[in-house]
Amino acid sequence: ILLITGTWEDILTVEGAQLLMTKLCAEETTKCNGASPRQWVLLDNLVHNYEVYSPRVLSTASSWAFPELPVQPSLASLRIALWFTTLFGIFITLIGSISLLRNTASAVTLASGITVTNPKKLVWGRLWLWLIALPLSGLIMFLYVLIPLPSPTFNLIYGGFLGGSGLLIFLLYWFGKMPGVTGRLRQFNSRGSSTQHDWRWALLFNLALFAAVTLLYRSGIGLVPPLGVRFVWVLIFVPLTALGFWVGMLEADALRNSAPDKPIYRLWTALIGLVPFYIYLILLWTLGSTSGVLGSLTGLLILALSLLQGEINRMLTGNALVSAVLQALLIFWLILPAGAL
């Protein structure tokens, strides 16, 4: 038995590893020989999330099990380098695509029936509304747990926070109670101008994006796409999540019309939409959960990826609802394969 763990391991702790070795060897030690050799190797600066990808771990395991074979940890290092390069390339491609579309395509205006009269009041209102949305988010997560399916425990926050906020914002716009805004949201088919050519480009773009992130994950990170019960959860989470993204696009378009020279307002509303995830990250950091912080940062990267995807789809198709559904689908496509049911 070879046990390898790291000093930053906060789930299967160092204390737990020592306890296991004490049981295996009948004394407090890191190595015992006999009919069945047993050894514990503790590596510095190794975290729970990515132990199985570490070149040091792979080299240590290979050397222990097959000492006569040459070790090639450089292959593991290459895979990690390719992951970061691919991720960087995806983000750069999306940001560049948005810039290109803004320079070459005419602006898409979505007909929504709402008008922003006070952008600053709207931004501050959206910030405070996250606090009001927290109880609703908690209720939605509770209702999700009541569904007679194995629950994706570590992923409920995405369905709960995004769904709770989306539902609250939608209701406020539906009843005309959103701060700094006049008019009511009364139609679900809000769309702008688009051509068949744009829809073809949108189809190619989404196929390429989903294929790229799927291949990236399946190179060793996780089993994307979600299958079985996990895919059922995708179908459960998408509607409320897409509702929030859809309203957010209509709101951003209304801000663009009322304050075309101040894109900072649209940026702030987009960032405010992720406030609970910042709070969750800070909480995990305060608790000293290294693996939790890395998992939370990964979630924020996925959310940022979906925001860029949604903007590109909106500019290509002029259809906010379709863009929002694809955003929600991308998030849970990547989030749900991770974590236990």
Side-chain angles (χ1 to χ4, degrees):
I1 297 173
L2 174 65
L3 175 63
I4 306 175
T5 188
T7 55
W8 288 353
E9 171 66 76
D10 58 334
I11 305 298
L12 305 171
T13 62
V14 173
E15 292 77 14
Q18 181 63 77
L19 179 61
L20 176 59
M21 286 301 297
T22 301
K23 294 291 184 180
L24 290 173
C25 297
E27 61 176 319
E28 187 172 321
T29 182
T30 60
K31 183 177 182 180
C32 55
N33 296 312
S36 299
R38 293 157 181 178
Q39 183 178 353
W40 170 31
V41 178
L42 180 64
L43 300 176
D44 291 331
N45 308 329
L46 186 65
V47 295
H48 175 82
N49 312 57
Y50 304 106
E51 286 170 342
V52 294
Y53 315 128
S54 167
R56 291 181 295 157
V57 170
L58 297 175
S59 176
T60 301
S62 179
S63 299
W64 186 85
F66 308 105
E68 71 281 4
L69 296 181
V71 179
Q72 294 182 326
S74 59
L75 294 178
S77 301
L78 175 61
R79 178 168 65 167
I80 293 172
L82 288 173
W83 280 344
F84 279 103
T85 303
T86 302
L87 187 62
F88 180 77
I90 289 174
F91 272 94
I92 289 297
T93 300
L94 296 185
I95 294 171
S97 298
I98 291 176
S99 178
L100 180 64
L101 287 171
R102 283 178 179 166
N103 292 333
T104 59
S106 57
V108 177
T109 301
L110 304 175
S112 60
I114 59 176
T115 302
V116 177
T117 57
N118 190 331
K120 187 176 294 186
K121 186 177 181 180
L122 171 61
V123 170
W124 279 106
R126 290 283 264 109
L127 182 60
W128 286 107
L129 284 171
W130 261 115
L131 293 175
I132 301 175
L134 288 178
L136 183 58
S137 299
L139 174 62
I140 289 174
M141 283 188 274
F142 174 72
L143 294 176
Y144 281 147
V145 171
L146 294 182
I147 296 174
L149 290 171
S151 296
T153 308
F154 298 107
N155 298 320
L156 281 174
I157 59 169
Y158 295 93
F161 285 151
L162 295 173
S165 171
L167 182 58
L168 176 64
I169 299 302
F170 169 75
L171 290 174
L172 288 172
Y173 274 114
W174 186 261
F175 291 105
K177 300 297 182 181
M178 178 61 70
V181 177
T182 59
R184 294 186 180 189
L185 192 60
R186 288 302 189 193
Q187 53 185 337
F188 281 92
N189 62 339
S190 301
R191 64 182 65 195
S193 59
S194 65
T195 65
Q196 189 176 4
H197 183 68
D198 294 326
W199 279 96
R200 289 172 184 164
W201 278 110
L203 176 62
L204 290 174
F205 161 69
N206 284 282
L207 288 175
L209 179 61
F210 275 89
V213 295
T214 299
L215 290 173
L216 174 64
Y217 265 70
R218 290 189 70 88
S219 64
I221 300 173
L223 291 177
V224 173
L227 301 174
V229 176
R230 295 179 191 273
F231 184 72
V232 175
W233 278 108
V234 172
L235 301 179
I236 293 171
F237 283 147
V238 160
L240 277 183
T241 305
L243 181 67
F245 286 134
W246 173 68
V247 176
M249 287 186 193
L250 302 183
E251 182 180 73
D253 206 62
L255 275 169
R256 187 179 291 106
N257 291 332
S258 64
D261 57 334
K262 293 185 177 180
I264 188 66
Y265 289 130
R266 300 194 297 276
L267 176 62
W268 274 115
T269 54
L271 294 177
I272 287 171
L274 306 180
V275 162
F277 301 99
Y278 308 144
I279 297 174
Y280 184 60
L281 174 63
I282 294 171
L283 174 63
L284 292 172
W285 182 275
T286 304
L287 294 175
S289 175
T290 307
S291 61
V293 168
L294 286 173
S296 182
L297 287 173
T298 302
L300 283 172
L301 275 177
I302 293 173
L303 291 169
L305 186 68
S306 76
L307 291 176
L308 294 173
Q309 174 210 22
E311 179 64 10
I312 292 174
N313 281 324
R314 186 195 72 82
M315 296 171 75
L316 285 173
T317 67
N319 191 306
L321 189 57
V322 171
S323 301
V325 170
L326 289 170
Q327 274 186 270
L329 181 60
L330 180 67
I331 290 174
F332 296 113
W333 189 269
L334 300 178
I335 288 291
L336 277 170
L341 289 178

